[in-house]
Amino acid sequence: METRTPVFEEFDPESDCDCPGCVHWRRVLPHSTTGRHPAANRALIVAAAASATLAVGQPAPAFAAPHAHNRPDVPAGDEPASPQGGQAPLHGPGGQPAQPGSVKTPKTTRADIIKRARKWVAAKVPYNMSRYWSDGYRQDCSGFVSMAWKLPRNEWTGSLGQYAVRINREDLQPGDILLFHNLADPQQGSHVVIFGGWTDHTHSHYVAYEATRPHTRRKVTPYAYWTHSDRYVAYRYKGLSSGTTDTEPDTGQQPITADPPKPHKPQHATPYPGRAYFGPGANNKHVTQLGRMLVERGAGAHYSDGPGPRWTDADRRATRAFQLAQGWRGREADGLPGPHTWELLVTGKGKDVQVATAGSRPPGKPASHGVPGYPGRAMFRPGASNEYVTQLGEQLVKKGFGKLYKTGPGPSWGDADRRAVEAFQRKQGWRGGAADGYPGPETWRRLFS
């Protein structure tokens, strides 16, 4: 009797698992596999046991992680984190399949493409290659473009090209895409971004709209991308309406908004919960609601990762910015929401916070060790995630040390940040402990001078 060889597959759970164990290990050991989710450990144990059993009578199948990296010269944490799903109907496998036949390209305009892209950016749609947003589109890079082009189903980098025509770099306009389809490893290496506009006359950087971890973003990006730059191809959507009015190029200097400002609609009249629900140590739904209302009123620049239930200094600074916008001073602008602050937010009354342009920083810059803007060494350590890490990375890119970033600077401190800082320090002629990759006050002063 023939015995079939069972097939086992090692798997890692998605990195956005919110169980306490995964959250802890992502925070303290962002590139470690020792903090693997218990479910993955169980899978490995089953696979190992099966391998030992099968080895007695016949060769065991090879076990391989489907998404293993094969580039030993690049740390795993610096790989572009943009795996993608395949073609799928709207709302996923359970949705209504697209009708077979010829490829349909719904009519749209450049302005509408960018408008839809900005909605996902403003909502900070979390990156996930197996989940679908409320509009039916998959929350990965190709699902994002499918949404912006308003395609009848979720496509992937291997099929988006059939909806478009190839164009030259010089012809790029807002709403076009830059696409890299990696034939060797389509899920892991491939990526696609929406072109928003050149940042200056040199055409060396542009504004990219993209779905990547941890959420959809709008970011000034070197042409064509941080990695595999020579393998990206420019495409233009076939369904652009003839005679469509081109949208203004996004130079990266405009505020990040999904739509033009609209009159504020009053929030649900949630009663003021009390001052005890806000401040250091607070962790509740009212903090989340406060943050969302503050973002709608123009204080979103104070958040690096978006509002959440845990009270942080970003909530305090955003609240204070709203209070200062009302003309309040002293104890009235202490950064803690009182009844009056809450009432203005839930009713949509009062003055909005003046939205800062991209690249500017919230008021009240720190000045540690006498260096303006330097927030202190504690902001730059493994597990740190704050706006100063982003600010540092963006400045390193401007100074010519951006080649170490694979997906661009972000708020989470990583090995790319450390190596970029070390490269800058060595450029100053420093060696040994003076070039440890962690920015001290003198590094900060020279970097921002």
Side-chain angles (χ1 to χ4, degrees):
M1 177 178 177
E2 182 182 354
T3 303
R4 285 195 175 184
T5 302
V7 178
F8 298 93
E9 184 180 85
E10 175 186 350
F11 70 93
D12 285 329
E14 293 174 336
S15 63
D16 58 355
C17 175
D18 292 326
C19 79
C22 286
V23 171
H24 169 74
W25 286 112
R26 281 203 305 272
R27 183 173 65 251
V28 300
L29 295 173
H31 306 315
S32 172
T33 58
T34 58
R36 184 175 281 135
H37 193 283
N41 288 332
R42 288 195 296 272
L44 287 173
I45 292 170
V46 171
S51 177
T53 302
L54 292 168
V56 175
Q58 55 185 305
F63 302 124
H67 304 316
H69 298 296
N70 57 3
R71 297 173 59 196
D73 57 321
V74 179
D78 291 334
E79 284 284 353
S82 57
Q84 58 171 335
Q87 290 177 306
L90 297 184
H91 297 284
Q96 182 67 33
Q99 294 298 319
S102 60
V103 175
K104 296 182 179 180
T105 53
K107 294 295 183 182
T108 189
T109 65
R110 295 186 184 280
D112 284 340
I113 292 172
I114 297 300
K115 181 179 180 180
R116 285 191 288 268
R118 287 188 171 192
K119 282 186 176 181
W120 271 37
V121 172
K124 293 190 173 182
V125 174
Y127 186 90
N128 195 298
M129 62 180 290
S130 60
R131 294 180 183 173
Y132 297 80
W133 197 238
S134 57
D135 53 19
Y137 291 96
R138 192 176 55 244
Q139 296 166 213
D140 60 8
C141 62
S142 47
F144 174 60
V145 173
S146 300
M147 177 277 303
W149 282 0
K150 209 172 183 180
L151 299 181
R153 65 183 179 186
N154 287 281
E155 300 295 338
W156 73 313
T157 54
S159 61
L160 281 170
Q162 65 185 325
Y163 294 89
V165 293
R166 292 183 62 162
I167 59 174
N168 295 323
R169 166 181 174 170
E170 295 75 18
D171 297 328
L172 278 166
Q173 295 183 46
D176 298 334
I177 65 170
L178 290 165
L179 181 147
F180 165 43
H181 181 64
N182 182 19
L183 291 174
D185 191 357
Q187 279 196 327
Q188 278 293 344
S190 306
H191 193 47
V192 60
V193 303
I194 297 174
F195 180 85
W198 298 110
T199 58
D200 55 37
H201 70 282
T202 66
H203 289 191
S204 61
H205 288 72
Y206 68 100
V207 172
Y209 293 86
E210 61 177 328
T212 186
R213 297 189 188 278
H215 51 68
T216 309
R217 70 182 184 182
R218 162 188 176 270
K219 193 173 190 67
V220 173
T221 303
Y223 184 87
Y225 199 65
W226 303 92
T227 55
H228 307 296
S229 180
D230 59 333
R231 302 180 68 179
Y232 277 78
V233 179
Y235 284 92
R236 174 163 299 157
Y237 181 54
K238 291 179 181 177
L240 287 176
S241 298
S242 58
T244 179
T245 303
D246 289 344
T247 184
E248 286 294 322
D250 189 342
T251 63
Q253 302 302 313
Q254 304 165 359
I256 303 176
T257 55
D259 297 297
K262 298 177 182 178
H264 293 295
K265 295 181 180 180
Q267 300 282 329
H268 294 296
T270 306
Y272 177 60
R275 202 174 182 92
Y277 283 86
F278 308 100
N283 188 346
N284 56 76
K285 64 180 181 180
H286 302 294
V287 177
T288 303
Q289 182 181 358
L290 171 72
R292 289 173 177 170
M293 291 191 294
L294 288 167
V295 168
E296 290 183 4
R297 302 301 295 272
H302 296 270
Y303 292 93
S304 59
D305 293 319
R310 188 182 301 278
W311 178 270
T312 67
D313 192 57
D315 296 294
R316 183 192 62 78
R317 287 185 283 107
T319 302
R320 185 170 185 270
F322 178 75
Q323 293 168 333
L324 291 173
Q326 313 313 308
W328 306 344
R329 296 296 182 270
R331 296 184 63 180
E332 291 183 330
D334 59 359
L336 294 172
H340 193 188
T341 301
W342 187 266
E343 180 186 1
L344 292 179
L345 288 170
V346 298
T347 59
K349 298 179 180 179
K351 298 179 179 178
D352 290 353
V353 177
Q354 293 300 311
V355 179
T357 57
S360 63
R361 295 292 159 185
K365 284 186 176 181
S368 179
H369 294 75
V371 178
Y374 179 58
R377 200 177 180 91
M379 291 292 176
F380 312 100
R381 63 176 186 270
S385 181
N386 55 74
E387 64 177 310
Y388 302 109
V389 176
T390 303
Q391 183 182 3
L392 172 74
E394 290 174 349
Q395 189 67 8
L396 285 164
V397 170
K398 289 180 182 178
K399 291 288 187 178
F401 297 88
K403 64 180 181 180
L404 295 167
Y405 290 98
K406 304 304 177 185
T407 58
S412 298
W413 176 264
D415 192 58
D417 298 292
R418 185 193 62 76
R419 289 185 289 132
V421 171
E422 180 183 358
F424 175 79
Q425 292 169 332
R426 289 186 177 277
K427 188 71 173 180
Q428 314 308 306
W430 304 343
R431 296 295 182 269
D436 60 358
Y438 293 92
E442 182 59 19
T443 298
W444 190 274
R445 187 186 67 78
R446 294 194 183 196
L447 187 59
F448 285 90
S449 62

